[in-house]
Amino acid sequence: MTKRSKKEAEDLLQTHVLNLKEIRQAAEKMAKIKYKRTSVYISLLGIFLIVFGLIFPKFKSLFIKETKKDAIEYATKIEKNTIICLSEYIEESNTYKIATKSTYTFDSLGLSNKESITTISMVNQSDLTSLLALNSRYKSLYPNANGVINSISVKNNILYFKQNITDYNLFDINSYNPEINYVNKTNVFVGRESMDTVKKKEILLGSSCS
């Protein structure tokens, strides 16, 4: 090989220096671009977190409100399966004061259960003979039967007549004595009546239903 001249050697060295400088500049440029991209990503993430922090309480509030609304609607639906009727009056002979609370429960087929509590007290508290006589009479007329549970007692000069028709499928209306229903002004139902029918009939007898 021929020996390089001094001029050629200097030119070659300068070329290498220039190439190294270009490589260094390119590397610095790429580093700056990467840094700028990272800064943009971090900025966007920061903006997102700030916006999310501002809207989250409102979002949470809306969610809670909807949850409460759903709970109220569900409770209302459950409550609508039951109606309560109240009545209170003094019978014609002015002897007895009678109050009744009847709770009617319904399923998809209609009336399924009835629970009632009747209290009978004397207008003249000094005469309890008739009240004790009623106690004996009702106990003989209303023994427990299939689908019907009766509880009759006298406490503190008040006669309590509690009746629970647990299953209208077992309720035998032909063997049931309706005397207590005449006394406390409540209806005798056979079961499967609609809520609207039961409510209207009770209101016609003077009860207040809700």
Side-chain angles (χ1 to χ4, degrees), residues 9-33:
E10 290 177 351
D11 291 341
L12 182 61
L13 179 61
Q14 187 177 6
T15 300
H16 283 306
V17 171
L18 289 174
N19 287 340
L20 288 173
K21 185 178 181 181
E22 288 175 356
I23 292 171
R24 190 179 299 109
Q25 288 175 346
E28 290 175 354
K29 185 176 181 181
M30 290 298 295
K32 288 180 180 179
I33 292 173

mmCIF file of all heavy atoms in Angstrom, residues 9-33:
data_model
loop_
_atom_site.group_PDB
_atom_site.id
_atom_site.type_symbol
_atom_site.label_atom_id
_atom_site.label_comp_id
_atom_site.label_asym_id
_atom_site.label_seq_id
_atom_site.Cartn_x
_atom_site.Cartn_y
_atom_site.Cartn_z
ATOM 1 N N ALA A 9 -4.087 12.355 5.558
ATOM 2 C CA ALA A 9 -4.263 11.945 6.959
ATOM 3 C C ALA A 9 -5.043 12.993 7.742
ATOM 4 O O ALA A 9 -5.906 12.680 8.557
ATOM 5 C CB ALA A 9 -2.899 11.705 7.610
ATOM 6 N N GLU A 10 -4.729 14.253 7.498
ATOM 7 C CA GLU A 10 -5.454 15.325 8.196
ATOM 8 C C GLU A 10 -6.922 15.364 7.784
ATOM 9 O O GLU A 10 -7.813 15.554 8.623
ATOM 10 C CB GLU A 10 -4.775 16.675 7.894
ATOM 11 C CG GLU A 10 -3.411 16.836 8.543
ATOM 12 C CD GLU A 10 -2.751 18.140 8.148
ATOM 13 O OE1 GLU A 10 -3.299 18.824 7.232
ATOM 14 O OE2 GLU A 10 -1.716 18.483 8.749
ATOM 15 N N ASP A 11 -7.153 15.159 6.460
ATOM 16 C CA ASP A 11 -8.562 15.151 5.980
ATOM 17 C C ASP A 11 -9.357 13.994 6.593
ATOM 18 O O ASP A 11 -10.519 14.141 6.986
ATOM 19 C CB ASP A 11 -8.589 15.049 4.457
ATOM 20 C CG ASP A 11 -8.081 16.321 3.788
ATOM 21 O OD1 ASP A 11 -8.064 17.367 4.484
ATOM 22 O OD2 ASP A 11 -7.734 16.262 2.587
ATOM 23 N N LEU A 12 -8.730 12.838 6.670
ATOM 24 C CA LEU A 12 -9.391 11.657 7.245
ATOM 25 C C LEU A 12 -9.712 11.863 8.717
ATOM 26 O O LEU A 12 -10.795 11.529 9.211
ATOM 27 C CB LEU A 12 -8.503 10.420 7.062
ATOM 28 C CG LEU A 12 -9.083 9.095 7.566
ATOM 29 C CD1 LEU A 12 -10.370 8.762 6.815
ATOM 30 C CD2 LEU A 12 -8.071 7.964 7.378
ATOM 31 N N LEU A 13 -8.760 12.443 9.439
ATOM 32 C CA LEU A 13 -8.972 12.705 10.871
ATOM 33 C C LEU A 13 -10.107 13.695 11.073
ATOM 34 O O LEU A 13 -10.946 13.535 11.966
ATOM 35 C CB LEU A 13 -7.675 13.251 11.479
ATOM 36 C CG LEU A 13 -7.736 13.592 12.971
ATOM 37 C CD1 LEU A 13 -8.065 12.343 13.775
ATOM 38 C CD2 LEU A 13 -6.394 14.190 13.422
ATOM 39 N N GLN A 14 -10.135 14.712 10.236
ATOM 40 C CA GLN A 14 -11.203 15.719 10.358
ATOM 41 C C GLN A 14 -12.572 15.096 10.076
ATOM 42 O O GLN A 14 -13.558 15.419 10.723
ATOM 43 C CB GLN A 14 -10.926 16.862 9.379
ATOM 44 C CG GLN A 14 -11.896 18.032 9.545
ATOM 45 C CD GLN A 14 -11.551 19.194 8.620
ATOM 46 O OE1 GLN A 14 -10.652 19.092 7.779
ATOM 47 N NE2 GLN A 14 -12.247 20.305 8.795
ATOM 48 N N THR A 15 -12.592 14.179 9.088
ATOM 49 C CA THR A 15 -13.856 13.482 8.756
ATOM 50 C C THR A 15 -14.358 12.671 9.943
ATOM 51 O O THR A 15 -15.540 12.682 10.289
ATOM 52 C CB THR A 15 -13.648 12.563 7.543
ATOM 53 O OG1 THR A 15 -13.232 13.353 6.433
ATOM 54 C CG2 THR A 15 -14.931 11.836 7.200
ATOM 55 N N HIS A 16 -13.449 11.966 10.627
ATOM 56 C CA HIS A 16 -13.830 11.174 11.803
ATOM 57 C C HIS A 16 -14.367 12.078 12.917
ATOM 58 O O HIS A 16 -15.352 11.744 13.594
ATOM 59 C CB HIS A 16 -12.621 10.379 12.324
ATOM 60 C CG HIS A 16 -12.318 9.166 11.502
ATOM 61 N ND1 HIS A 16 -13.261 8.200 11.226
ATOM 62 C CD2 HIS A 16 -11.169 8.761 10.900
ATOM 63 C CE1 HIS A 16 -12.724 7.255 10.482
ATOM 64 N NE2 HIS A 16 -11.425 7.572 10.251
ATOM 65 N N VAL A 17 -13.722 13.208 13.079
ATOM 66 C CA VAL A 17 -14.162 14.155 14.124
ATOM 67 C C VAL A 17 -15.558 14.664 13.832
ATOM 68 O O VAL A 17 -16.412 14.749 14.709
ATOM 69 C CB VAL A 17 -13.160 15.327 14.241
ATOM 70 C CG1 VAL A 17 -13.721 16.425 15.157
ATOM 71 C CG2 VAL A 17 -11.827 14.827 14.758
ATOM 72 N N LEU A 18 -15.766 15.012 12.543
ATOM 73 C CA LEU A 18 -17.098 15.500 12.148
ATOM 74 C C LEU A 18 -18.169 14.420 12.355
ATOM 75 O O LEU A 18 -19.285 14.705 12.796
ATOM 76 C CB LEU A 18 -17.061 15.951 10.677
ATOM 77 C CG LEU A 18 -16.272 17.231 10.395
ATOM 78 C CD1 LEU A 18 -16.192 17.477 8.888
ATOM 79 C CD2 LEU A 18 -16.934 18.423 11.091
ATOM 80 N N ASN A 19 -17.859 13.163 12.000
ATOM 81 C CA ASN A 19 -18.829 12.061 12.175
ATOM 82 C C ASN A 19 -19.183 11.861 13.645
ATOM 83 O O ASN A 19 -20.338 11.650 14.009
ATOM 84 C CB ASN A 19 -18.250 10.768 11.592
ATOM 85 C CG ASN A 19 -18.237 10.794 10.058
ATOM 86 O OD1 ASN A 19 -18.966 11.580 9.452
ATOM 87 N ND2 ASN A 19 -17.415 9.945 9.447
ATOM 88 N N LEU A 20 -18.183 11.892 14.498
ATOM 89 C CA LEU A 20 -18.444 11.738 15.935
ATOM 90 C C LEU A 20 -19.311 12.884 16.462
ATOM 91 O O LEU A 20 -20.194 12.698 17.288
ATOM 92 C CB LEU A 20 -17.109 11.706 16.707
ATOM 93 C CG LEU A 20 -16.274 10.436 16.531
ATOM 94 C CD1 LEU A 20 -14.907 10.609 17.194
ATOM 95 C CD2 LEU A 20 -17.025 9.232 17.120
ATOM 96 N N LYS A 21 -19.063 14.073 15.975
ATOM 97 C CA LYS A 21 -19.849 15.242 16.395
ATOM 98 C C LYS A 21 -21.295 15.103 15.964
ATOM 99 O O LYS A 21 -22.241 15.389 16.716
ATOM 100 C CB LYS A 21 -19.222 16.508 15.804
ATOM 101 C CG LYS A 21 -19.902 17.784 16.279
ATOM 102 C CD LYS A 21 -19.200 19.004 15.708
ATOM 103 C CE LYS A 21 -19.874 20.280 16.202
ATOM 104 N NZ LYS A 21 -19.238 21.489 15.643
ATOM 105 N N GLU A 22 -21.503 14.609 14.715
ATOM 106 C CA GLU A 22 -22.867 14.426 14.205
ATOM 107 C C GLU A 22 -23.620 13.358 15.008
ATOM 108 O O GLU A 22 -24.799 13.488 15.314
ATOM 109 C CB GLU A 22 -22.809 14.037 12.730
ATOM 110 C CG GLU A 22 -22.399 15.183 11.820
ATOM 111 C CD GLU A 22 -22.236 14.736 10.374
ATOM 112 O OE1 GLU A 22 -22.371 13.518 10.112
ATOM 113 O OE2 GLU A 22 -21.989 15.602 9.521
ATOM 114 N N ILE A 23 -22.878 12.286 15.337
ATOM 115 C CA ILE A 23 -23.503 11.209 16.138
ATOM 116 C C ILE A 23 -23.909 11.728 17.507
ATOM 117 O O ILE A 23 -24.991 11.449 18.026
ATOM 118 C CB ILE A 23 -22.540 10.014 16.274
ATOM 119 C CG1 ILE A 23 -22.344 9.338 14.901
ATOM 120 C CG2 ILE A 23 -23.062 9.004 17.291
ATOM 121 C CD1 ILE A 23 -21.251 8.282 14.885
ATOM 122 N N ARG A 24 -23.009 12.517 18.125
ATOM 123 C CA ARG A 24 -23.301 13.085 19.442
ATOM 124 C C ARG A 24 -24.509 14.023 19.383
ATOM 125 O O ARG A 24 -25.373 14.000 20.242
ATOM 126 C CB ARG A 24 -22.066 13.831 19.967
ATOM 127 C CG ARG A 24 -22.194 14.242 21.436
ATOM 128 C CD ARG A 24 -20.965 14.961 21.929
ATOM 129 N NE ARG A 24 -19.786 14.131 21.851
ATOM 130 C CZ ARG A 24 -18.796 14.302 20.994
ATOM 131 N NH1 ARG A 24 -18.840 15.308 20.111
ATOM 132 N NH2 ARG A 24 -17.748 13.501 20.981
ATOM 133 N N GLN A 25 -24.565 14.864 18.334
ATOM 134 C CA GLN A 25 -25.683 15.792 18.182
ATOM 135 C C GLN A 25 -26.999 15.044 17.967
ATOM 136 O O GLN A 25 -28.049 15.421 18.506
ATOM 137 C CB GLN A 25 -25.410 16.733 16.997
ATOM 138 C CG GLN A 25 -24.338 17.764 17.273
ATOM 139 C CD GLN A 25 -24.014 18.606 16.050
ATOM 140 O OE1 GLN A 25 -24.404 18.244 14.919
ATOM 141 N NE2 GLN A 25 -23.302 19.717 16.262
ATOM 142 N N ALA A 26 -26.942 13.962 17.163
ATOM 143 C CA ALA A 26 -28.149 13.159 16.913
ATOM 144 C C ALA A 26 -28.636 12.512 18.208
ATOM 145 O O ALA A 26 -29.841 12.457 18.498
ATOM 146 C CB ALA A 26 -27.848 12.098 15.856
ATOM 147 N N ALA A 27 -27.691 12.009 19.012
ATOM 148 C CA ALA A 27 -28.061 11.374 20.286
ATOM 149 C C ALA A 27 -28.702 12.387 21.231
ATOM 150 O O ALA A 27 -29.687 12.103 21.913
ATOM 151 C CB ALA A 27 -26.823 10.742 20.918
ATOM 152 N N GLU A 28 -28.091 13.596 21.272
ATOM 153 C CA GLU A 28 -28.663 14.636 22.135
ATOM 154 C C GLU A 28 -30.052 15.038 21.676
ATOM 155 O O GLU A 28 -30.954 15.288 22.484
ATOM 156 C CB GLU A 28 -27.719 15.853 22.134
ATOM 157 C CG GLU A 28 -26.408 15.604 22.861
ATOM 158 C CD GLU A 28 -25.462 16.792 22.739
ATOM 159 O OE1 GLU A 28 -25.803 17.735 21.993
ATOM 160 O OE2 GLU A 28 -24.396 16.774 23.395
ATOM 161 N N LYS A 29 -30.258 15.077 20.352
ATOM 162 C CA LYS A 29 -31.565 15.445 19.806
ATOM 163 C C LYS A 29 -32.624 14.404 20.174
ATOM 164 O O LYS A 29 -33.737 14.732 20.574
ATOM 165 C CB LYS A 29 -31.460 15.578 18.291
ATOM 166 C CG LYS A 29 -32.739 16.069 17.627
ATOM 167 C CD LYS A 29 -32.534 16.273 16.134
ATOM 168 C CE LYS A 29 -33.810 16.799 15.490
ATOM 169 N NZ LYS A 29 -33.652 16.988 14.022
ATOM 170 N N MET A 30 -32.268 13.121 20.068
ATOM 171 C CA MET A 30 -33.197 12.038 20.418
ATOM 172 C C MET A 30 -33.538 12.074 21.901
ATOM 173 O O MET A 30 -34.680 11.834 22.299
ATOM 174 C CB MET A 30 -32.567 10.682 20.068
ATOM 175 C CG MET A 30 -32.448 10.430 18.567
ATOM 176 S SD MET A 30 -34.066 10.382 17.743
ATOM 177 C CE MET A 30 -34.765 8.917 18.520
ATOM 178 N N ALA A 31 -32.533 12.401 22.719
ATOM 179 C CA ALA A 31 -32.768 12.473 24.169
ATOM 180 C C ALA A 31 -33.747 13.596 24.500
ATOM 181 O O ALA A 31 -34.626 13.454 25.352
ATOM 182 C CB ALA A 31 -31.438 12.680 24.896
ATOM 183 N N LYS A 32 -33.557 14.746 23.755
ATOM 184 C CA LYS A 32 -34.471 15.867 23.993
ATOM 185 C C LYS A 32 -35.897 15.527 23.579
ATOM 186 O O LYS A 32 -36.868 15.864 24.261
ATOM 187 C CB LYS A 32 -33.982 17.089 23.224
ATOM 188 C CG LYS A 32 -32.729 17.724 23.804
ATOM 189 C CD LYS A 32 -32.311 18.935 22.980
ATOM 190 C CE LYS A 32 -31.044 19.573 23.560
ATOM 191 N NZ LYS A 32 -30.626 20.750 22.749
ATOM 192 N N ILE A 33 -36.044 14.832 22.421
ATOM 193 C CA ILE A 33 -37.388 14.428 21.956
ATOM 194 C C ILE A 33 -38.033 13.480 22.960
ATOM 195 O O ILE A 33 -39.208 13.613 23.310
ATOM 196 C CB ILE A 33 -37.277 13.762 20.572
ATOM 197 C CG1 ILE A 33 -36.850 14.801 19.521
ATOM 198 C CG2 ILE A 33 -38.602 13.114 20.187
ATOM 199 C CD1 ILE A 33 -36.554 14.213 18.156
#
